[in-house]
Amino acid sequence: MTKHNPFHGVTCIHGLTLFFLIFTIAVTDRIWADDEIDGPASSREEMVSRQIEARGVRDPDVLKAMKTVPRHHFVPTKYKDNAHGDYPLPIGNGQTISQPYIVAFMTAALNVKPKDRILEIGTGSGYQAAVLAELGCEVYSIEIIGSLGKRAKETLGRLGYGNVHIKIGDGHKGWPEKAPFDAIIVTCAPEKIPQSLVQQLKEGGRMIIPVGESGGIQHLVLAVKKGGCLASRRVLPVRFVPMVESPP
């Protein structure tokens, strides 16, 4: 494809004017690409330092990913000024984008490596998937609410995360045709861990999932698959939206 030349047809231009015009274009592109350097980028730095690193998440790759992914692109416009706050935010349809610390904690707990295949249940805004994608993972994400899945897909595509694949469907069923997965992350709470997800996890793979009743006590559970079964432990009390099933 031939690129448009902004100077095409200009037969005479003063050297100083030309320099100024080129400099202006370069600075404008840099600010756009770096996502408002003095705004959200510095907010992300502060978010990571005060909310995440200070609470014990020290994995340098996870911290870098949290500093890089533009969280404010994953929240509704009216909440952009609060995007880096220490709390979840509503994203519509009764769903939320998780608190930054929880995203970082769950990501670090999975101990992922580049090129790992990750199953995510509950795409939501797409933010958690973007953080995993930033770590070099191939992410397969399932969202039961069609409008949220479509919006997340558009946001991730616009930001260049081509290694995230989204399907609209029931997370209880997983994504068997893409299994087995190196790790599974669930961002909505079932009352018990679906056996279908256990089956789709690789031997030695890790799963992080909130478990408990909606409106009741929930715990974040970290599990490792050993001998076809899960060895699990509770790691954190949490509150997530319920994991719902599609109607039969």
Side-chain angles (χ1 to χ4, degrees), residues 102 105-106 186 188-193 208-213 216-222 232-240:
I102 292 295
F105 181 92
M106 293 177 73
V186 183
C188 45
E191 293 188 8
K192 61 181 181 179
I193 300 175
I208 187 87
I209 178 172
V211 179
E213 296 181 2
I217 297 174
Q218 298 175 357
H219 286 92
L220 202 56
V221 173
L222 178 61
S232 62
R233 61 187 176 92
R234 294 176 174 179
V235 292
L236 201 68
V238 290
R239 180 175 294 178
F240 277 79

PDB file of all heavy atoms in Angstrom, residues 102 105-106 186 188-193 208-213 216-222 232-240:
ATOM      1  N   ILE A 102      -6.452  -7.228  42.175  1.00  0.00           N
ATOM      2  CA  ILE A 102      -6.953  -8.584  41.958  1.00  0.00           C
ATOM      3  C   ILE A 102      -6.496  -9.108  40.600  1.00  0.00           C
ATOM      4  O   ILE A 102      -6.108 -10.276  40.465  1.00  0.00           O
ATOM      5  CB  ILE A 102      -8.491  -8.613  42.070  1.00  0.00           C
ATOM      6  CG1 ILE A 102      -8.919  -8.343  43.522  1.00  0.00           C
ATOM      7  CG2 ILE A 102      -9.049  -9.939  41.588  1.00  0.00           C
ATOM      8  CD1 ILE A 102      -8.486  -9.420  44.510  1.00  0.00           C
ATOM      9  N   PHE A 105      -2.829  -9.938  41.028  1.00  0.00           N
ATOM     10  CA  PHE A 105      -2.658 -11.089  41.915  1.00  0.00           C
ATOM     11  C   PHE A 105      -2.992 -12.386  41.190  1.00  0.00           C
ATOM     12  O   PHE A 105      -2.238 -13.372  41.261  1.00  0.00           O
ATOM     13  CB  PHE A 105      -3.547 -10.928  43.147  1.00  0.00           C
ATOM     14  CG  PHE A 105      -3.422 -12.048  44.139  1.00  0.00           C
ATOM     15  CD1 PHE A 105      -2.506 -11.969  45.183  1.00  0.00           C
ATOM     16  CD2 PHE A 105      -4.212 -13.193  44.039  1.00  0.00           C
ATOM     17  CE1 PHE A 105      -2.376 -13.008  46.105  1.00  0.00           C
ATOM     18  CE2 PHE A 105      -4.089 -14.235  44.947  1.00  0.00           C
ATOM     19  CZ  PHE A 105      -3.164 -14.136  45.985  1.00  0.00           C
ATOM     20  N   MET A 106      -4.125 -12.408  40.504  1.00  0.00           N
ATOM     21  CA  MET A 106      -4.544 -13.615  39.801  1.00  0.00           C
ATOM     22  C   MET A 106      -3.580 -13.954  38.667  1.00  0.00           C
ATOM     23  O   MET A 106      -3.263 -15.129  38.432  1.00  0.00           O
ATOM     24  CB  MET A 106      -5.970 -13.449  39.277  1.00  0.00           C
ATOM     25  CG  MET A 106      -7.023 -13.365  40.376  1.00  0.00           C
ATOM     26  SD  MET A 106      -8.714 -13.081  39.758  1.00  0.00           S
ATOM     27  CE  MET A 106      -9.099 -14.686  39.040  1.00  0.00           C
ATOM     28  N   VAL A 186     -10.562 -17.785  35.917  1.00  0.00           N
ATOM     29  CA  VAL A 186     -12.012 -17.568  35.932  1.00  0.00           C
ATOM     30  C   VAL A 186     -12.289 -16.279  36.693  1.00  0.00           C
ATOM     31  O   VAL A 186     -11.840 -16.115  37.830  1.00  0.00           O
ATOM     32  CB  VAL A 186     -12.748 -18.753  36.574  1.00  0.00           C
ATOM     33  CG1 VAL A 186     -14.258 -18.543  36.517  1.00  0.00           C
ATOM     34  CG2 VAL A 186     -12.370 -20.068  35.876  1.00  0.00           C
ATOM     35  N   CYS A 188     -15.418 -14.968  37.313  1.00  0.00           N
ATOM     36  CA  CYS A 188     -16.771 -14.954  37.857  1.00  0.00           C
ATOM     37  C   CYS A 188     -16.874 -16.192  38.742  1.00  0.00           C
ATOM     38  O   CYS A 188     -16.131 -17.156  38.555  1.00  0.00           O
ATOM     39  CB  CYS A 188     -17.815 -14.965  36.745  1.00  0.00           C
ATOM     40  SG  CYS A 188     -17.471 -16.151  35.410  1.00  0.00           S
ATOM     41  N   ALA A 189     -17.771 -16.163  39.711  1.00  0.00           N
ATOM     42  CA  ALA A 189     -17.741 -17.184  40.760  1.00  0.00           C
ATOM     43  C   ALA A 189     -18.810 -18.259  40.603  1.00  0.00           C
ATOM     44  O   ALA A 189     -20.005 -17.982  40.751  1.00  0.00           O
ATOM     45  CB  ALA A 189     -17.882 -16.516  42.123  1.00  0.00           C
ATOM     46  N   PRO A 190     -18.387 -19.513  40.352  1.00  0.00           N
ATOM     47  CA  PRO A 190     -19.329 -20.625  40.442  1.00  0.00           C
ATOM     48  C   PRO A 190     -19.407 -21.090  41.898  1.00  0.00           C
ATOM     49  O   PRO A 190     -18.547 -20.739  42.709  1.00  0.00           O
ATOM     50  CB  PRO A 190     -18.670 -21.698  39.570  1.00  0.00           C
ATOM     51  CG  PRO A 190     -17.198 -21.446  39.746  1.00  0.00           C
ATOM     52  CD  PRO A 190     -17.048 -19.949  39.918  1.00  0.00           C
ATOM     53  N   GLU A 191     -20.416 -21.891  42.212  1.00  0.00           N
ATOM     54  CA  GLU A 191     -20.513 -22.421  43.575  1.00  0.00           C
ATOM     55  C   GLU A 191     -19.522 -23.566  43.786  1.00  0.00           C
ATOM     56  O   GLU A 191     -19.107 -23.848  44.900  1.00  0.00           O
ATOM     57  CB  GLU A 191     -21.944 -22.865  43.858  1.00  0.00           C
ATOM     58  CG  GLU A 191     -22.914 -21.684  43.901  1.00  0.00           C
ATOM     59  CD  GLU A 191     -24.307 -22.087  44.362  1.00  0.00           C
ATOM     60  OE1 GLU A 191     -24.477 -23.260  44.792  1.00  0.00           O
ATOM     61  OE2 GLU A 191     -25.218 -21.240  44.302  1.00  0.00           O
ATOM     62  N   LYS A 192     -19.153 -24.224  42.695  1.00  0.00           N
ATOM     63  CA  LYS A 192     -18.100 -25.240  42.741  1.00  0.00           C
ATOM     64  C   LYS A 192     -17.381 -25.244  41.390  1.00  0.00           C
ATOM     65  O   LYS A 192     -17.930 -24.774  40.382  1.00  0.00           O
ATOM     66  CB  LYS A 192     -18.671 -26.618  43.056  1.00  0.00           C
ATOM     67  CG  LYS A 192     -19.677 -27.136  42.046  1.00  0.00           C
ATOM     68  CD  LYS A 192     -20.195 -28.507  42.474  1.00  0.00           C
ATOM     69  CE  LYS A 192     -21.200 -29.033  41.441  1.00  0.00           C
ATOM     70  NZ  LYS A 192     -21.702 -30.383  41.820  1.00  0.00           N
ATOM     71  N   ILE A 193     -16.176 -25.760  41.356  1.00  0.00           N
ATOM     72  CA  ILE A 193     -15.376 -25.744  40.129  1.00  0.00           C
ATOM     73  C   ILE A 193     -15.980 -26.691  39.105  1.00  0.00           C
ATOM     74  O   ILE A 193     -16.150 -27.889  39.380  1.00  0.00           O
ATOM     75  CB  ILE A 193     -13.924 -26.140  40.432  1.00  0.00           C
ATOM     76  CG1 ILE A 193     -13.292 -25.163  41.424  1.00  0.00           C
ATOM     77  CG2 ILE A 193     -13.108 -26.196  39.138  1.00  0.00           C
ATOM     78  CD1 ILE A 193     -11.893 -25.539  41.871  1.00  0.00           C
ATOM     79  N   ILE A 208      -6.856 -20.528  38.565  1.00  0.00           N
ATOM     80  CA  ILE A 208      -7.210 -19.577  39.615  1.00  0.00           C
ATOM     81  C   ILE A 208      -8.679 -19.230  39.412  1.00  0.00           C
ATOM     82  O   ILE A 208      -9.096 -18.854  38.302  1.00  0.00           O
ATOM     83  CB  ILE A 208      -6.307 -18.321  39.601  1.00  0.00           C
ATOM     84  CG1 ILE A 208      -6.572 -17.426  40.804  1.00  0.00           C
ATOM     85  CG2 ILE A 208      -6.394 -17.555  38.308  1.00  0.00           C
ATOM     86  CD1 ILE A 208      -5.777 -17.781  42.016  1.00  0.00           C
ATOM     87  N   ILE A 209      -9.494 -19.382  40.469  1.00  0.00           N
ATOM     88  CA  ILE A 209     -10.943 -19.266  40.310  1.00  0.00           C
ATOM     89  C   ILE A 209     -11.591 -18.857  41.630  1.00  0.00           C
ATOM     90  O   ILE A 209     -11.260 -19.410  42.685  1.00  0.00           O
ATOM     91  CB  ILE A 209     -11.519 -20.618  39.801  1.00  0.00           C
ATOM     92  CG1 ILE A 209     -13.039 -20.573  39.672  1.00  0.00           C
ATOM     93  CG2 ILE A 209     -11.076 -21.783  40.692  1.00  0.00           C
ATOM     94  CD1 ILE A 209     -13.627 -21.813  38.986  1.00  0.00           C
ATOM     95  N   PRO A 210     -12.518 -17.898  41.600  1.00  0.00           N
ATOM     96  CA  PRO A 210     -13.283 -17.586  42.812  1.00  0.00           C
ATOM     97  C   PRO A 210     -14.425 -18.588  42.967  1.00  0.00           C
ATOM     98  O   PRO A 210     -15.110 -18.904  41.995  1.00  0.00           O
ATOM     99  CB  PRO A 210     -13.814 -16.172  42.538  1.00  0.00           C
ATOM    100  CG  PRO A 210     -13.914 -16.101  41.047  1.00  0.00           C
ATOM    101  CD  PRO A 210     -12.845 -16.999  40.489  1.00  0.00           C
ATOM    102  N   VAL A 211     -14.616 -19.085  44.165  1.00  0.00           N
ATOM    103  CA  VAL A 211     -15.648 -20.105  44.395  1.00  0.00           C
ATOM    104  C   VAL A 211     -16.502 -19.689  45.585  1.00  0.00           C
ATOM    105  O   VAL A 211     -15.971 -19.280  46.629  1.00  0.00           O
ATOM    106  CB  VAL A 211     -15.010 -21.483  44.659  1.00  0.00           C
ATOM    107  CG1 VAL A 211     -16.095 -22.525  44.919  1.00  0.00           C
ATOM    108  CG2 VAL A 211     -14.142 -21.920  43.480  1.00  0.00           C
ATOM    109  N   GLY A 212     -17.820 -19.797  45.435  1.00  0.00           N
ATOM    110  CA  GLY A 212     -18.712 -19.466  46.541  1.00  0.00           C
ATOM    111  C   GLY A 212     -20.048 -18.968  46.047  1.00  0.00           C
ATOM    112  O   GLY A 212     -20.251 -18.760  44.850  1.00  0.00           O
ATOM    113  N   GLU A 213     -20.962 -18.747  46.965  1.00  0.00           N
ATOM    114  CA  GLU A 213     -22.303 -18.307  46.612  1.00  0.00           C
ATOM    115  C   GLU A 213     -22.325 -16.818  46.303  1.00  0.00           C
ATOM    116  O   GLU A 213     -21.596 -16.026  46.902  1.00  0.00           O
ATOM    117  CB  GLU A 213     -23.272 -18.606  47.755  1.00  0.00           C
ATOM    118  CG  GLU A 213     -23.444 -20.087  48.038  1.00  0.00           C
ATOM    119  CD  GLU A 213     -24.433 -20.333  49.155  1.00  0.00           C
ATOM    120  OE1 GLU A 213     -24.995 -19.332  49.671  1.00  0.00           O
ATOM    121  OE2 GLU A 213     -24.631 -21.493  49.508  1.00  0.00           O
ATOM    122  N   GLY A 216     -22.630 -14.216  49.074  1.00  0.00           N
ATOM    123  CA  GLY A 216     -22.151 -14.862  50.285  1.00  0.00           C
ATOM    124  C   GLY A 216     -20.631 -14.850  50.327  1.00  0.00           C
ATOM    125  O   GLY A 216     -19.973 -14.027  49.697  1.00  0.00           O
ATOM    126  N   ILE A 217     -20.079 -15.793  51.061  1.00  0.00           N
ATOM    127  CA  ILE A 217     -18.630 -15.885  51.192  1.00  0.00           C
ATOM    128  C   ILE A 217     -18.031 -16.539  49.951  1.00  0.00           C
ATOM    129  O   ILE A 217     -18.493 -17.600  49.512  1.00  0.00           O
ATOM    130  CB  ILE A 217     -18.243 -16.687  52.445  1.00  0.00           C
ATOM    131  CG1 ILE A 217     -18.737 -15.969  53.705  1.00  0.00           C
ATOM    132  CG2 ILE A 217     -16.732 -16.897  52.524  1.00  0.00           C
ATOM    133  CD1 ILE A 217     -18.536 -16.758  54.985  1.00  0.00           C
ATOM    134  N   GLN A 218     -17.039 -15.896  49.384  1.00  0.00           N
ATOM    135  CA  GLN A 218     -16.303 -16.446  48.251  1.00  0.00           C
ATOM    136  C   GLN A 218     -14.817 -16.458  48.578  1.00  0.00           C
ATOM    137  O   GLN A 218     -14.328 -15.597  49.305  1.00  0.00           O
ATOM    138  CB  GLN A 218     -16.524 -15.616  46.978  1.00  0.00           C
ATOM    139  CG  GLN A 218     -17.954 -15.557  46.482  1.00  0.00           C
ATOM    140  CD  GLN A 218     -18.094 -14.624  45.283  1.00  0.00           C
ATOM    141  OE1 GLN A 218     -17.148 -13.979  44.846  1.00  0.00           O
ATOM    142  NE2 GLN A 218     -19.305 -14.559  44.746  1.00  0.00           N
ATOM    143  N   HIS A 219     -14.114 -17.432  48.033  1.00  0.00           N
ATOM    144  CA  HIS A 219     -12.663 -17.489  48.186  1.00  0.00           C
ATOM    145  C   HIS A 219     -12.012 -17.710  46.828  1.00  0.00           C
ATOM    146  O   HIS A 219     -12.518 -18.482  46.002  1.00  0.00           O
ATOM    147  CB  HIS A 219     -12.256 -18.620  49.134  1.00  0.00           C
ATOM    148  CG  HIS A 219     -12.536 -18.327  50.569  1.00  0.00           C
ATOM    149  ND1 HIS A 219     -13.711 -18.685  51.179  1.00  0.00           N
ATOM    150  CD2 HIS A 219     -11.786 -17.684  51.520  1.00  0.00           C
ATOM    151  CE1 HIS A 219     -13.697 -18.293  52.441  1.00  0.00           C
ATOM    152  NE2 HIS A 219     -12.545 -17.685  52.674  1.00  0.00           N
ATOM    153  N   LEU A 220     -10.916 -17.015  46.626  1.00  0.00           N
ATOM    154  CA  LEU A 220     -10.111 -17.254  45.442  1.00  0.00           C
ATOM    155  C   LEU A 220      -9.327 -18.535  45.684  1.00  0.00           C
ATOM    156  O   LEU A 220      -8.631 -18.666  46.702  1.00  0.00           O
ATOM    157  CB  LEU A 220      -9.168 -16.067  45.210  1.00  0.00           C
ATOM    158  CG  LEU A 220      -8.616 -15.855  43.798  1.00  0.00           C
ATOM    159  CD1 LEU A 220      -9.749 -15.741  42.785  1.00  0.00           C
ATOM    160  CD2 LEU A 220      -7.757 -14.608  43.771  1.00  0.00           C
ATOM    161  N   VAL A 221      -9.484 -19.488  44.774  1.00  0.00           N
ATOM    162  CA  VAL A 221      -8.856 -20.800  44.920  1.00  0.00           C
ATOM    163  C   VAL A 221      -7.775 -20.962  43.855  1.00  0.00           C
ATOM    164  O   VAL A 221      -8.024 -20.713  42.670  1.00  0.00           O
ATOM    165  CB  VAL A 221      -9.902 -21.927  44.782  1.00  0.00           C
ATOM    166  CG1 VAL A 221      -9.228 -23.297  44.754  1.00  0.00           C
ATOM    167  CG2 VAL A 221     -10.918 -21.850  45.923  1.00  0.00           C
ATOM    168  N   LEU A 222      -6.585 -21.366  44.291  1.00  0.00           N
ATOM    169  CA  LEU A 222      -5.493 -21.676  43.374  1.00  0.00           C
ATOM    170  C   LEU A 222      -5.333 -23.183  43.341  1.00  0.00           C
ATOM    171  O   LEU A 222      -5.182 -23.823  44.391  1.00  0.00           O
ATOM    172  CB  LEU A 222      -4.196 -21.009  43.831  1.00  0.00           C
ATOM    173  CG  LEU A 222      -2.944 -21.290  42.977  1.00  0.00           C
ATOM    174  CD1 LEU A 222      -3.136 -20.793  41.549  1.00  0.00           C
ATOM    175  CD2 LEU A 222      -1.710 -20.641  43.609  1.00  0.00           C
ATOM    176  N   SER A 232      -5.991 -28.137  45.493  1.00  0.00           N
ATOM    177  CA  SER A 232      -6.353 -26.722  45.584  1.00  0.00           C
ATOM    178  C   SER A 232      -6.211 -26.179  46.994  1.00  0.00           C
ATOM    179  O   SER A 232      -6.226 -26.930  47.979  1.00  0.00           O
ATOM    180  CB  SER A 232      -7.788 -26.518  45.094  1.00  0.00           C
ATOM    181  OG  SER A 232      -8.698 -27.228  45.907  1.00  0.00           O
ATOM    182  N   ARG A 233      -6.090 -24.854  47.066  1.00  0.00           N
ATOM    183  CA  ARG A 233      -6.047 -24.171  48.358  1.00  0.00           C
ATOM    184  C   ARG A 233      -6.657 -22.779  48.209  1.00  0.00           C
ATOM    185  O   ARG A 233      -6.565 -22.152  47.142  1.00  0.00           O
ATOM    186  CB  ARG A 233      -4.612 -24.065  48.886  1.00  0.00           C
ATOM    187  CG  ARG A 233      -3.656 -23.285  48.004  1.00  0.00           C
ATOM    188  CD  ARG A 233      -2.225 -23.370  48.517  1.00  0.00           C
ATOM    189  NE  ARG A 233      -1.276 -22.713  47.634  1.00  0.00           N
ATOM    190  CZ  ARG A 233      -0.897 -21.450  47.740  1.00  0.00           C
ATOM    191  NH1 ARG A 233      -1.400 -20.692  48.718  1.00  0.00           N
ATOM    192  NH2 ARG A 233      -0.017 -20.921  46.909  1.00  0.00           N
ATOM    193  N   ARG A 234      -7.260 -22.309  49.269  1.00  0.00           N
ATOM    194  CA  ARG A 234      -7.807 -20.955  49.275  1.00  0.00           C
ATOM    195  C   ARG A 234      -6.679 -19.954  49.488  1.00  0.00           C
ATOM    196  O   ARG A 234      -5.826 -20.166  50.357  1.00  0.00           O
ATOM    197  CB  ARG A 234      -8.841 -20.817  50.388  1.00  0.00           C
ATOM    198  CG  ARG A 234     -10.089 -21.666  50.189  1.00  0.00           C
ATOM    199  CD  ARG A 234     -11.010 -21.531  51.389  1.00  0.00           C
ATOM    200  NE  ARG A 234     -12.282 -22.218  51.191  1.00  0.00           N
ATOM    201  CZ  ARG A 234     -13.249 -22.262  52.095  1.00  0.00           C
ATOM    202  NH1 ARG A 234     -13.080 -21.643  53.281  1.00  0.00           N
ATOM    203  NH2 ARG A 234     -14.368 -22.896  51.843  1.00  0.00           N
ATOM    204  N   VAL A 235      -6.715 -18.871  48.718  1.00  0.00           N
ATOM    205  CA  VAL A 235      -5.630 -17.900  48.843  1.00  0.00           C
ATOM    206  C   VAL A 235      -6.093 -16.489  49.209  1.00  0.00           C
ATOM    207  O   VAL A 235      -5.284 -15.684  49.677  1.00  0.00           O
ATOM    208  CB  VAL A 235      -4.792 -17.831  47.538  1.00  0.00           C
ATOM    209  CG1 VAL A 235      -4.035 -19.119  47.325  1.00  0.00           C
ATOM    210  CG2 VAL A 235      -5.670 -17.518  46.320  1.00  0.00           C
ATOM    211  N   LEU A 236      -7.399 -16.205  49.028  1.00  0.00           N
ATOM    212  CA  LEU A 236      -7.845 -14.831  49.275  1.00  0.00           C
ATOM    213  C   LEU A 236      -9.368 -14.775  49.332  1.00  0.00           C
ATOM    214  O   LEU A 236     -10.042 -15.364  48.484  1.00  0.00           O
ATOM    215  CB  LEU A 236      -7.350 -13.928  48.126  1.00  0.00           C
ATOM    216  CG  LEU A 236      -7.242 -12.425  48.362  1.00  0.00           C
ATOM    217  CD1 LEU A 236      -6.128 -12.110  49.359  1.00  0.00           C
ATOM    218  CD2 LEU A 236      -6.948 -11.724  47.026  1.00  0.00           C
ATOM    219  N   PRO A 237      -9.940 -14.081  50.326  1.00  0.00           N
ATOM    220  CA  PRO A 237     -11.386 -13.844  50.295  1.00  0.00           C
ATOM    221  C   PRO A 237     -11.700 -12.769  49.258  1.00  0.00           C
ATOM    222  O   PRO A 237     -10.986 -11.756  49.169  1.00  0.00           O
ATOM    223  CB  PRO A 237     -11.694 -13.357  51.715  1.00  0.00           C
ATOM    224  CG  PRO A 237     -10.401 -12.778  52.206  1.00  0.00           C
ATOM    225  CD  PRO A 237      -9.307 -13.548  51.551  1.00  0.00           C
ATOM    226  N   VAL A 238     -12.745 -12.982  48.468  1.00  0.00           N
ATOM    227  CA  VAL A 238     -13.054 -12.066  47.363  1.00  0.00           C
ATOM    228  C   VAL A 238     -14.557 -11.926  47.197  1.00  0.00           C
ATOM    229  O   VAL A 238     -15.339 -12.625  47.838  1.00  0.00           O
ATOM    230  CB  VAL A 238     -12.446 -12.578  46.027  1.00  0.00           C
ATOM    231  CG1 VAL A 238     -10.933 -12.472  46.026  1.00  0.00           C
ATOM    232  CG2 VAL A 238     -12.886 -14.017  45.740  1.00  0.00           C
ATOM    233  N   ARG A 239     -14.957 -11.049  46.294  1.00  0.00           N
ATOM    234  CA  ARG A 239     -16.350 -10.927  45.906  1.00  0.00           C
ATOM    235  C   ARG A 239     -16.409 -10.696  44.396  1.00  0.00           C
ATOM    236  O   ARG A 239     -15.970  -9.656  43.897  1.00  0.00           O
ATOM    237  CB  ARG A 239     -17.042  -9.783  46.634  1.00  0.00           C
ATOM    238  CG  ARG A 239     -18.516  -9.623  46.238  1.00  0.00           C
ATOM    239  CD  ARG A 239     -19.204  -8.574  47.069  1.00  0.00           C
ATOM    240  NE  ARG A 239     -19.304  -8.960  48.468  1.00  0.00           N
ATOM    241  CZ  ARG A 239     -19.828  -8.193  49.413  1.00  0.00           C
ATOM    242  NH1 ARG A 239     -20.295  -7.002  49.104  1.00  0.00           N
ATOM    243  NH2 ARG A 239     -19.884  -8.625  50.653  1.00  0.00           N
ATOM    244  N   PHE A 240     -16.923 -11.688  43.667  1.00  0.00           N
ATOM    245  CA  PHE A 240     -17.048 -11.610  42.218  1.00  0.00           C
ATOM    246  C   PHE A 240     -18.515 -11.760  41.827  1.00  0.00           C
ATOM    247  O   PHE A 240     -19.334 -12.269  42.594  1.00  0.00           O
ATOM    248  CB  PHE A 240     -16.258 -12.749  41.542  1.00  0.00           C
ATOM    249  CG  PHE A 240     -14.787 -12.470  41.357  1.00  0.00           C
ATOM    250  CD1 PHE A 240     -13.901 -12.597  42.419  1.00  0.00           C
ATOM    251  CD2 PHE A 240     -14.288 -12.084  40.123  1.00  0.00           C
ATOM    252  CE1 PHE A 240     -12.563 -12.349  42.246  1.00  0.00           C
ATOM    253  CE2 PHE A 240     -12.942 -11.835  39.950  1.00  0.00           C
ATOM    254  CZ  PHE A 240     -12.066 -11.967  41.006  1.00  0.00           C
TER     255      PHE A 240
END
